[in-house]
């Protein structure tokens, strides 16, 4: 008995010491992170020289790597953080938010390699900080014969969704504060362009978060789903009822498609449908925290942070880094570790990232918020391995907050989250500056310095730790039909087009055809295929079930368009499931 007591006391002392470290880190880092974030926003940010008003630079680093650009996705996530802080009482941020609104209205209209405002340009991920189009190469996908996939080859179709979500959050505050006129006259035109883009393009493939895989992405699908739900609600609130049905229908389709990412045998959410990787990726934890709706409880249909699927996936993701980073060696198998983007990562040597590690802590803090609010937690057969980290004897069941099991499990989750932030604190330099990554063997910061997204990730994790509850967005009570998970949406199937085609440097293969989803024979809007498995070019598209269609591949090179020879290819989709078509260019 004395041995057990001493062990318990030692554990409690260790937990208290860890929490003390995190308390100190949060107190010190919070103002540094906020100042670091604002320093990277034009026109007056100390490290954002040359950036237009309201433009977020990814990082002041302009060499190895050069991040002195603005990304639609990163900027939206940063400004969602800024808007949330404004709503919680920091009125000094109002001016920079309005600058962001003006900047995005301009950026949406800039023609770029992805197209114009009416032909796909909203999917362009990256611009110069003066809001001119970026026309160089981007992305780290290397595609035979040894070419970096250029910017025009794919899009970040999460950007419009995230931007609309940030602006809808601001719009909702304005409406609540008697400024609906500004919403309808200024915000809604920007928001509607993004929502229309999402509704029309959600079932197209694009580059993932890390600009390396062209496929369907769980993060993208999740944030697109949220944006359309919120968009429909906002449209109703301001009398734009004509779009509500369309947004809601497509949101339902996306929710159905989201079920197909779940890997039941592996117990995790597969981050990407392509790329040849395991699919264990920070993508899924980031999706969970950025689609957190506290009114939805632990709903697994929308993969809420405390849902059994999201928790199981988080464990699988975290565990995949335990043995591949030296700084994680010697850490117990049920304790927090540093995490990166995905275990196969080789970018800058493949290291932990500040923002991905913070996402683990934030998901757990979000889960604790819900469990404490509802006064219970449920252990299912899916989440059992996650909870067994904190109590080896726990069994499937529901545990009220009055039980010792609830206390044991929530304390364990809290300690794991605290341990995750303690790791970040350990590898944050004394000045509080946050780079993109820290080296897996030493913990020394590396890659882009003062990464704006790193700072934003600290602020959102700290807010969650303090129990800040985000706004509801419509996830409560959602239902996906029993047929979801095998097709890309109600009445649709996933069709993969593979075509064998040899190309010259800079030449690419596109697809178009007789359906809306195949861009109605438009060469300008034709969909780029991935050359990841060259000479096989590939794309996966959601098409209507049980439908006959025709299609052709086209080549684009130096502005010239070459159609495949006649006759048209033709096929018919099955009633459900998925379908693969294998062709050879002719």
């Amino acid at each position: 008995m004395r041995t057990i007591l001493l062990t318990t006391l030692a554990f409690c002392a260790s937990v208290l010491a860890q929490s003390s470290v995190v308390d100190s880190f949060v107190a010190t880092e919070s103002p540094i992170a906020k100042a670091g974030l604002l320093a990277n926003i034009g026109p007056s940010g100390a490290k954002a020289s040359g950036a237009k008003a309201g433009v977020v630079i990814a990082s002041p680093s302009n060499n190895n790597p050069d991040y002195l650009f603005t990304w639609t996705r990163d900027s939206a996530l940063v400004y969602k953080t800024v808007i949330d802080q404004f709503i919680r009482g920091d009125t000094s941020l109002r001016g920079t938010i309005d600058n962001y609104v003006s900047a995005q209205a301009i950026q949406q209209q800039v023609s770029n390699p992805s197209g114009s405002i009416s032909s796909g340009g909203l999917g362009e991920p990256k611009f110069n900080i003066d809001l001119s189009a970026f026309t160089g190469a981007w992305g780290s996908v290397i595609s035979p014969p040894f070419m970096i996939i250029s910017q025009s080859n794919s899009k970040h179709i999460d950007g419009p969704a995230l931007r609309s979500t940030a602006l809808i959050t601001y719009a909702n505050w304005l409406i609540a504060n008697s400024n609906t006129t500004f919403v309808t006259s200024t915000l809604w035109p920007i928001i509607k362009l993004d929502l229309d883009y999402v509704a029309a393009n959600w079932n197209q493939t694009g580059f993932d978060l890390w600009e390396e895989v062209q496929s369907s992405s769980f993060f993208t699908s999740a944030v697109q789903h949220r944006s359309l739900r919120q968009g429909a609600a906002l449209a109703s609130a301001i009398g734009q009822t004509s779009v509500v049905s369309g947004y809601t229908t497509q949101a339902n389709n996306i929710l159905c498609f989201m079920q197909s990412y779940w890997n039941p045998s592996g117990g995790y959410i597969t981050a990407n449908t392509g790329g040849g990787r395991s699919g264990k990726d920070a993508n899924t934890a980031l999706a969970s925290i950025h689609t957190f709706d506290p009114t939805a409880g632990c709903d697994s249909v929308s993969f809420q942070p405390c849902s059994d699927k999201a928790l199981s996936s988080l464990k699988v993701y975290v565990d995949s880094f335990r043995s591949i980073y030296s700084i994680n060696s010697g850490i117990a198998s049920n304790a927090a570790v540093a995490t990166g983007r995905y275990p196969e990562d080789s970018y800058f040597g493949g290291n932990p990232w500040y923002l991905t590690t913070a996402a683990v802590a934030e998901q757990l803090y979000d889960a604790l918020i819900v469990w404490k609010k509802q006064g219970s937690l449920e252990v299912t057969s899916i989440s059992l391995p996650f909870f067994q980290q904190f109590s080896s004897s726990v069994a499937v069941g529901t545990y009220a907050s009055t039980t010792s099991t609830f206390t044991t499990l929530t304390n364990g989750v809290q300690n794991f989250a605290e341990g995750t932030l303690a790791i970040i604190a350990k590898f944050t330099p004394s000045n509080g500056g946050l780079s993109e990554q820290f080296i897996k063997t030493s913990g020394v910061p590396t890659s882009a310095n003062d990464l704006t997204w790193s700072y934003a990730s600290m602020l959102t994790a700290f807010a969650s730790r303090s129990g800040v509850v985000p706004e509801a967005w419509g996830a409560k009570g959602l239902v996906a039909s029993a047929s979801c998970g095998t097709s890309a949406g109600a009445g649709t199937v996933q069709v993969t087009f593979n075509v064998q085609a040899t190309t010259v440097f800079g030449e690419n293969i596109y697809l178009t055809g007789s359906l809306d989803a195949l861009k109605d024979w438009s060469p300008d809007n034709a969909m780029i295929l991935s050359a990841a498995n060259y000479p096989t070019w590939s794309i996966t598209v959601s098409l209507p079930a049980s439908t006959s269609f025709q299609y052709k591949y086209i080549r684009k090179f130096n502005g010239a368009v070459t159609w495949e020879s006649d006759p048209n290819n033709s096929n018919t989709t099955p009633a459900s499931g998925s379908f693969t078509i294998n062709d050879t260019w002719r």
Side-chain angles (χ1 to χ4, degrees):
M1 180 65 73
R2 184 173 183 274
T3 300
I4 295 174
L5 178 61
L6 289 173
T7 301
T8 302
L9 289 173
F11 173 76
C12 291
S14 174
V15 169
L16 289 172
Q18 176 176 267
S19 292
S20 177
V21 167
V22 176
D23 285 341
S24 177
F25 175 62
V26 171
T28 302
E29 186 64 25
S30 291
I32 294 173
K34 187 171 183 178
L37 182 154
L38 294 174
N40 287 351
I41 299 177
S44 55
K47 297 182 179 180
S49 177
K52 293 289 188 180
V55 170
V56 179
I57 66 169
S59 160
S61 174
N62 60 8
N63 182 50
N64 194 30
D66 185 359
Y67 280 6
L68 194 55
F69 299 97
T70 185
W71 274 263
T72 303
R73 177 205 55 228
D74 299 40
S75 299
L77 290 170
V78 166
Y79 262 101
K80 177 63 165 60
T81 304
V82 172
I83 291 166
D84 286 343
Q85 293 217 342
F86 165 73
I87 291 172
R88 295 200 295 268
D90 187 349
T91 57
S92 69
L93 298 172
R94 180 71 177 270
T96 190
I97 295 170
D98 287 337
N99 284 342
Y100 174 68
V101 171
S102 299
Q104 296 312 295
I106 294 170
Q107 184 177 305
Q108 283 184 326
Q109 302 295 330
V110 175
S111 294
N112 55 66
S114 292
S116 66
I117 185 69
S118 60
S119 62
L122 289 176
E124 187 69 7
K126 176 179 176 181
F127 293 80
N128 294 315
I129 62 175
D130 64 357
L131 292 182
S132 62
F134 176 74
T135 57
W138 68 272
S140 50
V141 176
I142 303 298
S143 157
F146 308 109
M147 69 175 185
I148 299 178
I149 288 186
S150 71
Q151 186 183 23
S152 61
N153 281 2
S154 192
K155 302 169 184 176
H156 267 183
I157 52 180
D158 56 2
L162 291 166
R163 178 168 54 201
S164 63
T165 292
L167 294 181
I168 290 169
T169 303
Y170 187 36
N172 289 338
W173 181 89
L174 289 168
I175 292 171
N177 287 271
S178 304
N179 198 351
T180 301
T181 300
F182 184 79
V183 174
T184 56
S185 65
T186 303
L187 291 184
W188 178 248
I190 303 170
I191 293 168
K192 184 177 184 297
L193 284 172
D194 282 341
L195 294 175
D196 288 348
Y197 179 88
V198 173
N201 293 280
W202 70 266
N203 59 355
Q204 307 301 314
T205 57
F207 262 149
D208 71 337
L209 273 171
W210 318 125
E211 301 179 355
E212 295 174 345
V213 174
Q214 186 177 343
S215 72
S216 296
S217 160
F218 180 75
F219 178 86
T220 299
S221 295
V223 299
Q224 288 174 331
H225 172 246
R226 173 178 177 168
S227 72
L228 290 179
R229 294 284 181 203
Q230 287 188 285
L234 176 63
S236 293
I238 61 175
Q240 301 291 325
T241 56
S242 63
V243 300
V244 173
S245 176
Y247 292 167
T248 302
T249 296
Q250 295 296 48
N252 290 338
N253 287 341
I254 298 172
L255 184 66
C256 190
F257 181 37
M258 284 171 61
Q259 311 313 304
S260 68
Y261 290 98
W262 175 245
N263 179 344
S265 61
Y268 64 94
I269 306 162
T270 303
N272 300 302
T273 59
R277 302 200 299 246
S278 64
K280 302 169 187 176
D281 195 304
N283 169 318
T284 56
L286 289 164
S288 185
I289 63 176
H290 289 299
T291 58
F292 176 34
D293 183 337
T295 68
C298 298
D299 172 53
S300 62
V301 174
S302 59
F303 299 89
Q304 290 298 302
C306 61
S307 67
D308 54 359
K309 291 179 179 177
L311 293 173
S312 177
S313 189
L314 187 70
K315 180 183 187 302
V316 172
Y317 160 72
V318 171
D319 286 350
S320 70
F321 294 96
R322 293 189 179 278
S323 63
I324 65 175
Y325 295 159
S326 298
I327 58 174
N328 289 339
S329 62
I331 297 177
S333 61
N334 62 347
V337 292
T339 62
R341 301 189 300 174
Y342 51 90
E344 302 91 345
D345 195 6
S346 60
Y347 178 60
F348 269 81
N351 298 300
W353 285 41
Y354 288 101
L355 70 92
T356 59
T357 305
V360 174
E362 186 170 344
Q363 182 178 336
L364 296 177
Y365 290 130
D366 288 347
L368 287 163
I369 287 172
V370 175
W371 291 328
K372 291 175 181 178
K373 179 183 177 182
Q374 65 188 21
S376 65
L377 64 78
E378 182 183 10
V379 179
T380 71
S381 59
I382 292 173
S383 61
L384 182 61
F386 170 83
F387 286 109
Q388 284 176 329
Q389 297 176 107
F390 314 114
S391 174
S392 59
S393 61
V394 69
V396 170
T398 300
Y399 299 93
S401 58
T402 54
T403 64
S404 60
T405 300
F406 179 93
T407 302
T408 297
L409 295 178
T410 53
N411 284 346
V413 171
Q414 177 80 27
N415 295 335
F416 196 102
E418 296 283 275
T420 305
L421 288 189
I423 289 170
I424 295 174
K426 179 179 180 180
F427 298 117
T428 296
S430 58
N431 66 0
L434 295 177
S435 296
E436 181 180 65
Q437 308 171 43
F438 47 105
I439 297 175
K440 61 187 175 184
T441 57
S442 65
V444 174
T446 189
S447 189
N449 59 290
D450 293 303
L451 191 79
T452 321
W453 192 0
S454 291
Y455 289 128
S457 72
M458 292 305 120
L459 294 174
T460 58
F462 296 165
S464 184
R465 180 179 188 259
S466 66
V468 171
V469 179
E471 72 283 359
W473 56 264
K476 182 179 180 180
L478 296 176
V479 177
S481 72
S483 62
C484 293
T486 57
S487 68
T492 63
V493 295
Q494 284 277 80
V495 180
T496 298
F497 293 83
N498 296 321
V499 60
Q500 295 279 327
T502 56
T503 56
V504 298
F505 180 85
E507 184 178 35
N508 295 292
I509 304 297
Y510 292 73
L511 171 70
T512 188
S514 61
L515 304 174
D516 287 346
L518 295 176
K519 304 304 181 182
D520 294 314
W521 295 113
S522 169
D524 292 333
N525 298 328
M527 298 172 290
I528 184 72
L529 277 69
S530 169
N533 296 311
Y534 183 88
T536 299
W537 297 73
S538 182
I539 189 172
T540 301
V541 185
S542 294
L543 299 182
S546 304
T547 301
S548 297
F549 63 95
Q550 295 184 342
Y551 65 97
K552 271 189 177 179
Y553 303 100
I554 60 178
R555 295 172 182 262
K556 292 187 180 182
F557 181 60
N558 286 344
V561 175
T562 303
W563 289 80
E564 193 179 15
S565 300
D566 288 333
N568 296 334
N569 301 304
S570 61
N571 219 307
T572 301
T573 57
S576 62
S578 58
F579 186 46
T580 298
I581 298 172
N582 295 307
D583 292 315
T584 301
W585 175 275
R586 50 179 173 74

